[in-house]
Amino acid sequence: GAVVSQHPSWVICKSGTSVKIECRSLDFQATTMFWYRQFPKQSLMLMATSNEGSKATYEQGVEKDKFLINHASLTLSTLTVTSAHPEDSSFYICSASLRSNQPQHFGDGTRLSIL
Amino acid sequence: GIQVEQSPPDLILQEGANSTLRCNFSDSVNNLQWFHQNPWGQLINLFYIPSGTKQNGRLSATTVATERYSLLYISSSQTTDSGVYFCAVGAGGTSYGKLTFGQGTILTVHP
């Protein structure tokens, strides 16, 4: 149980394109999901907390107009990288947990390359 | 916010050797997880261990919450154990659910 699915796994697109990444909890409902970013040879950094039915909470230094988060249902959160540029190229990964005192389960991540 | 320090940053082993990875954290936690990140980027959840000791095959972990550290033991290492090992911690209150990751330990196991 507690499977998190992320799609797509790999995206290559031109500069200026907007890219949407989906994160789904397959066998449980998640009122809260988290989005992380990982640059090459670095650790994972939390970008934002996605809250079902309300606005996302962004970490300091993360542009909310650049990274749009929508959590319209209890099983789906989406991250849209708007007008992506080469510096947005990174590995994006989401997580969710079954309950507040349970471990976080991660999707397989999305590798985004902006040309 | 909470600080997480992992050591060593790099570890090179011969197949069959044992190793210990350490994770120090700066504040009380209600979540601590160990992950293995494979070459494709997937985070494999090894242990959810905010306190106590757990074992799973050749791997075991111990968290001493009062002293703010956790240890991951790998016995009889295999080449497939190679990769990056992350410790991630979560605090309570308004930070509930968020994880702060350490910088990782890069493990290389040679045949």
Side-chain angles (χ1 to χ4, degrees), chain A residues 45-69:
Chain A
M45 295 292 290
L46 179 67
M47 297 176 66
T49 302
S50 174
N51 305 299
E52 188 270 335
S54 65
K55 290 183 180 179
T57 307
Y58 292 82
E59 296 300 300
Q60 194 171 6
V62 178
E63 301 174 59
K64 62 180 180 181
D65 295 330
K66 174 76 167 175
F67 300 99
L68 300 180
I69 291 173

Side-chain angles (χ1 to χ4, degrees), chain A residues 36 38 43 59 100-101 104, chain B residues 33 37 48 96 98-99 102:
Chain A
Y36 295 81
Q38 184 181 28
S43 187
E59 296 300 300
S100 59
N101 62 343
Q104 289 289 319
Chain B
Q33 293 181 243
Q37 188 169 39
Y48 168 70
Y96 212 96
K98 299 180 184 181
L99 290 179

Side-chain angles (χ1 to χ4, degrees), chain B:
Chain B
I2 196 165
Q3 306 295 314
V4 183
E5 231 177 78
Q6 288 185 243
S7 59
D10 296 276
L11 187 57
I12 300 174
L13 299 174
Q14 209 65 34
E15 201 168 28
N18 303 328
S19 62
T20 301
L21 282 60
R22 187 177 179 102
C23 172
N24 292 334
F25 43 96
S26 61
D27 207 343
S28 301
V29 300
N30 59 15
N31 182 2
L32 189 146
Q33 293 181 243
W34 282 98
F35 297 94
H36 176 206
Q37 188 169 39
N38 66 22
W40 297 271
Q42 293 172 318
L43 282 177
I44 310 302
N45 195 0
L46 300 176
F47 293 103
Y48 168 70
I49 187 165
S51 64
T53 297
K54 290 186 178 180
Q55 179 155 9
N56 184 1
R58 295 182 297 104
L59 303 182
S60 63
T62 295
T63 297
V64 184
T66 52
E67 296 187 24
R68 298 181 184 168
Y69 73 89
S70 183
L71 302 173
L72 177 69
Y73 305 96
I74 304 175
S75 64
S76 303
S77 58
Q78 301 175 357
T79 56
T80 51
D81 294 331
S82 296
V84 186
Y85 289 80
F86 286 108
C87 164
V89 303
T94 57
S95 300
Y96 212 96
K98 299 180 184 181
L99 290 179
T100 300
F101 282 75
Q103 289 304 304
T105 292
I106 302 173
L107 175 64
T108 305
V109 182
H110 290 303

